[in-house]
């Protein structure tokens, strides 16, 4: 059972509290602080450093270590629609 859910562009926890939201290609935390942005299949931090990338169905961190898969993202987030942004939210706030 998913503890997190997507509603619109927001990620909410089981207590219906906003954890993160997407605005365009940017990712913000619940306090509206920019955490990063998505370009293609890669998530970058606000200083343009690579945080993670998706290759096929696997998720890799900046050191090129496998940290998860897209199926894990779908299991963790109910209603995950936009795969890359949902994956970025999973990487930053759930895993």
């Amino acid at each position: 059972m998913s503890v997190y859910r997507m509603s619109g562009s927001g990620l909410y926890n089981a207590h219906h509290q906003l954890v993160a939201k997407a605005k365009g290609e940017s990712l913000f935390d619940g306090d509206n602080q920019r955490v990063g942005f998505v370009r293609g299949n890669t998530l970058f931090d606000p200083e343009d450093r690579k945080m993670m990338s998706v290759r096929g169905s696997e998720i890799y961190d900046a050191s090129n270590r496998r940290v998860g898969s897209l199926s894990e993202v779908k299991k963790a987030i109910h209603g995950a629609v936009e795969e890359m942004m949902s994956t970025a939210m999973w990487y930053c706030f759930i895993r």
Side-chain angles (χ1 to χ4, degrees), residues 6-37:
M6 292 295 298
S7 181
S9 63
L11 174 68
Y12 295 85
N13 64 19
H15 302 288
H16 309 290
Q17 298 166 321
L18 180 67
V19 175
K21 61 184 168 187
K23 290 182 185 174
E25 298 300 314
S26 293
L27 177 61
F28 295 85
D29 65 14
D31 294 323
N32 209 32
Q33 298 296 310
R34 188 170 185 235
V35 174
F37 63 94

Side-chain angles (χ1 to χ4, degrees), residues 73-90:
V73 174
K74 290 178 184 175
K75 288 178 188 174
I77 305 173
H78 177 71
V81 179
E82 189 178 344
E83 271 192 339
M84 192 55 203
M85 192 54 78
S86 297
T87 303
M89 290 179 180
W90 173 86

Side-chain angles (χ1 to χ4, degrees), residues 19-78:
V19 175
K21 61 184 168 187
K23 290 182 185 174
E25 298 300 314
S26 293
L27 177 61
F28 295 85
D29 65 14
D31 294 323
N32 209 32
Q33 298 296 310
R34 188 170 185 235
V35 174
F37 63 94
V38 172
R39 188 181 317 138
N41 288 333
T42 305
L43 172 67
F44 296 90
D45 70 10
E47 285 77 41
D48 205 28
R49 294 178 297 228
K50 181 179 173 181
M51 294 173 66
M52 72 97 191
S53 62
V54 175
R55 293 192 306 266
S57 64
E58 304 298 318
I59 304 166
Y60 297 88
D61 66 11
S63 300
N64 215 22
R65 287 186 300 253
R66 185 188 175 281
V67 293
S69 69
L70 295 178
S71 64
E72 291 176 57
V73 174
K74 290 178 184 175
K75 288 178 188 174
I77 305 173
H78 177 71

